[in-house]
């Protein structure tokens, strides 16, 4: 089974940018729809964005539309999350997750059976 590893988190000032990566090991990422979720301290994990296995379809949470962009490079076995105009409210642990291969994307956390361990994003005011 493919395993997911997130990277690229860190500390950034409000208004800054970060690019997160979700890389697969133990298999190819190309058949899997990928979602990004985040969990802030004291809050439940929430959907951020998802991309279809082909990259042709995406879905964004309203809170990140116009600021975040998801993309994938299946040749590099990697999905990217470009985060611009970051706000303190974006502070959270960010997780990437995979749906079963070739399924449509969804915002529902329970429909993603494969998860990475997360990467911390902290935005200072």
């Amino acid at each position: 089974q493919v395993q997911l590893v997130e990277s690229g988190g860190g500390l950034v000032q409000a208004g800054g940018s970060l690019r997160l990566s979700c890389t697969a090991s133990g298999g190819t990422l190309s058949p899997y729809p990928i979602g990004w979720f985040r969990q802030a301290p004291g809050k439940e994990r929430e959907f951020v964005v998802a991309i279809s296995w082909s990259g042709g379809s995406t879905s964004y949470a309203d809170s990140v539309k116009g600021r975040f962009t998801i993309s994938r490079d299946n040749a590099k076995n990697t999905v990217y999350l470009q985060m611009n105009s970051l706000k303190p409210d974006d502070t959270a642990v960010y997780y990437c997750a995979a749906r079963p291969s070739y399924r449509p994307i969804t915002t529902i956390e329970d429909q993603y059976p494969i998860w990475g361990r997360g990467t911390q994003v902290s935005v200072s005011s």
Side-chain angles (χ1 to χ4, degrees):
Q1 175 171 291
V2 68
Q3 295 178 328
L4 304 178
V5 178
E6 304 92 339
S7 62
L11 174 63
V12 64
Q13 289 188 333
S17 298
L18 284 173
R19 188 176 79 161
L20 305 184
S21 297
C22 174
T23 303
S25 63
T28 177
L29 196 61
S30 58
Y32 296 94
I34 298 295
W36 284 95
F37 294 78
R38 66 186 181 185
Q39 187 168 21
K43 296 186 177 181
E44 293 189 351
R45 192 155 55 186
E46 65 176 2
F47 171 79
V48 177
V49 61
I51 189 167
S52 62
W53 65 271
S54 67
S57 179
T58 57
S59 178
Y60 291 85
D62 287 343
S63 59
V64 306
K65 280 181 182 176
R67 300 188 299 121
F68 290 11
T69 303
I70 191 171
S71 62
R72 66 190 300 156
D73 185 341
N74 285 337
K76 294 184 177 180
N77 241 11
T78 302
V79 169
Y80 302 101
L81 180 60
Q82 179 67 42
M83 306 187 296
N84 298 330
S85 302
L86 283 161
K87 306 175 182 179
D89 284 349
D90 295 317
T91 295
V93 177
Y94 284 71
Y95 300 88
C96 66
R99 287 212 73 201
S101 53
Y102 305 116
R103 298 288 179 88
I105 56 175
T106 174
T107 64
I108 302 171
E109 178 179 337
D110 289 349
Q111 296 188 4
Y112 290 81
I114 304 171
W115 289 78
R117 293 188 175 185
T119 185
Q120 176 70 48
V121 171
S122 299
V123 184
S124 62
S125 57

